[in-house]
Amino acid sequence: MAPHGDKSDAADETMVAKAEKRPISTILIVLAMQSEALPVVNKLNLSEDLQSVFPKGVPWVRYRGFYKDLNINLVWPGKDSSLGVDCVGTVPASLVTYASIQALQPDLIINAGTAGGFKAKGACIGDVYVASDVAFCDRRIPIPVFDLYGLGLRQALSTPNLQKELNLKVGKLSTGDSLHMSTQDEASMVANDAVVKDMEAAAVAYVADLLKVPSVFLKVVIDIKDGEETTAEESSQRFAALERAVTQVTDFINGKCLSDL
Ligand code: FMC
């Protein structure tokens, strides 16, 4: 996925080349849950934006602040107005990502969060993965070409130095709107070689790709999807691991260009 650009291919390429050579300045961190967001907000000393850049009445929340040389914006889709639970899943994630890109014009998106992992592919609880590419596992449209549209495979920004320096695991990420995994979802993930499964990344990638913003997907494995399926309870330890991963990635990004990642 390339940085912003909307005119001709040549203009796009020039903008990509320029963006790749100047230090990253504005970052958009997209998280799905309040308990994922708050430890990062505290660690990076961000404060809630009370003059919202979002439409009046939506539950979306933005935290902002300067951390080292970076202008950080962290957004989460807030709580469902009638049920009071975090707005997890693809629809809120894509909406808040779209509105945030429009308002903030970030150089880079980091979609961070918790995820399930596949033991057979080497994932263990506590592992931190950076996705090589992301796809949907629950959009089955068995018609030629629409099947590929449903899969929605998109590549993340290539980050070999980041992966090496922080010793992150790399693998394919699958997204579906259910926490539960159906046998069809599982078949799709096996066919797609997925190592981790979440509920937002492919939706964030879709929007980032539409608006040409490079994006990185950082996921901490909190439960195992194959073999004995375990669904983890919320635990502060897991969110602390996510906070550490986001902080390390942010520290690494500081002062670097996209092409240094
Ligand atoms: N499968 C799918 N999603 C998740 C998961 C799993 N085993 N563990 N944690 C998640 C993430 C999703 O991306 C949602 O934001 C949230 O946690 C669901 O509780």
Side-chain angles (χ1 to χ4, degrees):
M1 275 174 268
H4 311 295
D6 56 7
K7 302 219 169 65
S8 64
D9 285 353
D12 263 3
E13 276 163 28
T14 313
M15 289 176 83
V16 172
K18 278 191 186 155
E20 282 181 354
K21 288 198 184 96
R22 63 174 164 76
I24 297 161
S25 163
T26 301
I27 296 191
L28 175 66
I29 302 174
V30 181
L31 289 158
M33 298 173 75
Q34 187 174 38
S35 23
E36 294 171 338
L38 290 184
V40 181
V41 165
N42 292 332
K43 178 73 184 192
L44 301 185
N45 207 12
L46 307 178
S47 32
E48 189 170 344
D49 178 23
L50 298 174
Q51 285 164 338
S52 181
V53 291
F54 299 134
K56 204 164 182 279
V58 299
W60 312 337
V61 183
R62 171 191 175 217
Y63 296 91
R64 60 187 298 200
F66 287 91
Y67 177 79
K68 301 189 173 175
D69 298 330
L70 296 168
N71 171 12
I72 312 256
N73 296 274
L74 183 152
V75 295
W76 72 289
K79 303 259 184 197
D80 183 273
S81 56
S82 40
L83 301 172
V85 295
D86 292 297
C87 296
V88 299
T90 60
V91 173
S94 55
L95 286 170
V96 80
T97 303
Y98 176 81
S100 302
I101 295 173
Q102 292 291 84
L104 307 167
Q105 299 285 301
D107 299 318
L108 178 70
I109 294 175
I110 302 172
N111 170 225
T114 53
F118 286 90
K119 200 170 55 184
K121 290 275 171 195
C124 305
I125 290 187
D127 282 349
V128 183
Y129 273 88
V130 65
S132 51
D133 42 59
V134 301
F136 292 96
C137 64
D138 58 356
R139 304 200 315 182
R140 291 177 284 281
I141 314 173
I143 303 171
V145 190
F146 280 98
D147 52 359
L148 294 177
Y149 166 77
L151 182 63
L153 179 67
R154 287 183 172 81
Q155 284 200 328
L157 177 72
S158 166
T159 53
N161 299 323
L162 173 92
Q163 292 157 15
K164 201 169 153 212
E165 179 77 19
L166 302 185
N167 204 15
L168 300 170
K169 287 188 159 183
V170 184
K172 296 189 176 195
L173 170 55
S174 245
T175 297
D177 263 305
S178 303
L179 185 61
H180 168 258
M181 182 174 69
S182 71
T183 47
Q184 289 106 317
D185 293 349
E186 185 170 9
S188 160
M189 286 186 265
V190 169
N192 198 35
D193 224 11
V195 190
V196 275
K197 149 85 175 59
D198 81 340
M199 295 172 65
E200 293 86 18
V204 173
Y206 171 74
V207 180
D209 193 22
L210 271 185
L211 299 179
K212 304 288 172 254
V213 185
S215 38
V216 174
F217 303 87
L218 190 67
K219 302 284 159 169
V220 174
V221 175
I222 62 161
D223 55 20
I224 292 299
K225 301 296 285 182
D226 51 348
E228 281 282 287
E229 188 173 338
T230 55
T231 300
E233 305 260 312
E234 286 195 13
S235 118
S236 55
Q237 266 182 351
R238 299 192 169 110
F239 299 123
L242 180 64
E243 174 273 295
R244 278 194 300 277
V246 173
T247 306
Q248 284 179 342
V249 168
T250 310
D251 282 331
F252 182 83
I253 287 170
N254 184 58
K256 294 195 173 61
C257 311
L258 290 172
S259 57
D260 298 331
L261 302 184

